[in-house]
Amino acid sequence: MRTTTRAGRMCLVSGGAVIDVEQASAGRFPADPLAVFEEWDAFRSWAAELEPAGAAGPAGPNGPVSPAPRQVFAIGLNYRDHADEARLAVPPSPSVFTKFATALTGPDTRLRLPGGHVDWEAELVVVIARRAEHVAAEDAWSHVAGLTVGQDYSERAVQSVGPVPQFSLGKSFPGFAPTGPVLVTADEFTDPDDLAIECLVNGESVQKSRTSSMIFPVPELIARLSAVCPLLPGDLIFTGTPAGVGHARTPQRYLRPGDEVVTRVEGIGQLRQTCVAA
């Protein structure tokens, strides 16, 4: 099953059709995506029986797949090659920070560059469907609504200000957390733990890996996070980025106005940002 949002409304994606959930369900499920995540099992059962010719979704671009999560987690150094390029040791446990929800945006956007040190980080993003608290890794996938593509854009100068890194601030400017173009349930993949991921800047492949290279795969991340705080329906987990970020290059490379960033994950689709001056 695939979902997206249009004008803030939850929609099903079936072939080339985008179906407004509230209208197609005659109000059984609301337009609010967060409310649908709260009833994810019932929603999936209903969607499985829906005829493709439902009510057409609103016109316009797709929005973020979960536009108002209560928590947005992000994981640092979750690929060994990225830890190596950063000249940092592989962490013994997930390195966790946050991205604030006001950074969320849809998959095809203009990225306003607030400074001269904006970097790219292609990521697989997990959306939670069922409250997860002290969940074992072997049960983790049952708490997942689906997977989507994400970018963890980072203003490296802001991130580095002060005696300790300001990860959350440097990664939370408006537009710094695009997700989409759709949310895809895990059963759509042959192996949801092994997906190709790639980032291109102006057509040049700058990151290319597979999610099976994660140090802490999705089930382990859910187990570790839920051991500390409950994960709630609609919450997001940005699962980390592979090697190839601009900050680690010699010389360092950052995004400039006019640059185009395309981020792809196998079986889901792609994001596209066009960089503009702030």
Side-chain angles (χ1 to χ4, degrees), residues 2 4 6 11-20 51-57 182:
R2 294 169 180 253
T4 190
R6 291 268 182 93
C11 297
L12 275 170
V13 179
S14 179
V18 178
I19 302 166
D20 186 282
E51 293 295 330
V182 291

Side-chain angles (χ1 to χ4, degrees), residues 74-79 82 91 93-97 167 216 238-241:
I75 310 300
L77 302 178
N78 201 23
Y79 289 75
H82 180 47
S93 60
S95 178
V96 183
F97 56 94
F167 278 81
F216 304 101
F238 283 70
T239 59
T241 199

Side-chain angles (χ1 to χ4, degrees), residues 59-151:
N62 291 0
V65 296
S66 180
R70 286 163 287 193
Q71 302 179 107
V72 181
F73 301 90
I75 310 300
L77 302 178
N78 201 23
Y79 289 75
R80 187 177 299 274
D81 59 0
H82 180 47
D84 290 345
E85 73 175 354
R87 298 181 177 85
L88 295 170
V90 172
S93 60
S95 178
V96 183
F97 56 94
T98 62
K99 288 175 78 74
F100 299 123
T102 50
L104 288 167
T105 190
D108 195 344
T109 58
R110 285 158 52 92
L111 177 67
R112 293 170 60 86
L113 303 177
H117 298 86
V118 178
D119 202 351
W120 56 84
E121 296 192 22
E123 310 223 358
L124 179 73
V125 177
V126 177
V127 181
I128 298 297
R130 186 180 297 112
R131 181 184 175 99
E133 192 167 6
H134 299 288
V135 171
E138 55 266 28
D139 298 325
W141 277 111
S142 68
H143 294 265
V144 173
L147 303 174
T148 194
V149 187
Q151 256 289 349

Side-chain angles (χ1 to χ4, degrees), residues 252-267:
Q252 292 174 332
R253 178 180 175 185
Y254 300 108
L255 294 171
R256 295 289 180 260
D259 286 347
E260 180 185 74
V261 184
V262 173
T263 311
R264 300 170 176 160
V265 174
E266 178 184 2

